[in-house]
Amino acid sequence: MAAGALLRMLGLSAGLSLTPLGAAMASAHIVDIQWDASGRFVHKAEIHAGKFVEVCGALKPGQKIAWSFQSSAPMNFNIHYHLGKETVFPAKLSAVKEAAQTLNVQAEQMHCWMWSNKGAALATLDLDLKIEP
């Protein structure tokens, strides 16, 4: 059966792209934090020129998250969460290739670590998060 016919059978537009799942996952720009048994999350990403990646997870007041990253090119970086219409930035850095700090969580919110590649070439990113006791 042709892809267009299958899409019509499913009630979908023939203009919809049938991207293989692996390719869709590899290009995802929003990543959910999935802590391992030791309270650690490690992530590697490629960020195309002009694009961004966010790594997000629900955190609670009193938690301490040690974080560090290294990238192949300078990028704009922030940690943010939303309180109503306000965006709160516990950390915000411009044109950095690496950084490390500890986030002392103040609000029970979804927190996002975000990198924006304002450069002209692909950048790689290595991230390490750890819940501190």
Side-chain angles (χ1 to χ4, degrees):
M1 174 181 295
L6 177 60
L7 288 172
R8 283 189 296 282
M9 250 179 46
L10 296 172
L12 301 172
S13 164
L16 183 66
S17 171
L18 290 178
T19 305
L21 180 60
M25 295 301 288
S27 65
H29 64 274
I30 300 177
V31 177
D32 290 327
I33 295 172
Q34 307 237 344
W35 302 106
D36 68 15
S38 69
R40 189 168 180 214
F41 175 78
V42 176
H43 184 70
K44 294 181 181 292
E46 292 183 338
I47 307 169
H48 292 275
K51 301 296 182 184
F52 69 94
V53 68
E54 286 188 276
V55 174
C56 302
L59 301 176
K60 296 180 181 178
Q63 283 185 301
K64 294 182 183 202
I65 311 297
W67 58 267
S68 65
F69 71 86
Q70 298 80 39
S71 62
S72 62
M75 289 191 277
N76 292 345
F77 164 76
N78 71 69
I79 300 172
H80 67 272
Y81 61 91
H82 302 278
L83 285 177
K85 293 184 179 186
E86 179 186 3
T87 303
V88 179
F89 294 93
K92 195 170 189 179
L93 303 168
S94 296
V96 294
K97 289 178 72 172
E98 61 184 50
Q101 292 182 11
T102 298
L103 172 66
N104 295 306
V105 179
Q106 302 296 313
E108 186 167 349
Q109 293 292 328
M110 182 72 67
H111 286 66
C112 294
W113 281 253
M114 181 175 175
W115 295 263
S116 299
N117 182 359
K118 302 297 185 185
L122 177 80
T124 59
L125 173 72
D126 291 300
L127 170 65
D128 191 351
L129 304 176
K130 174 81 170 129
I131 299 172
E132 295 190 338

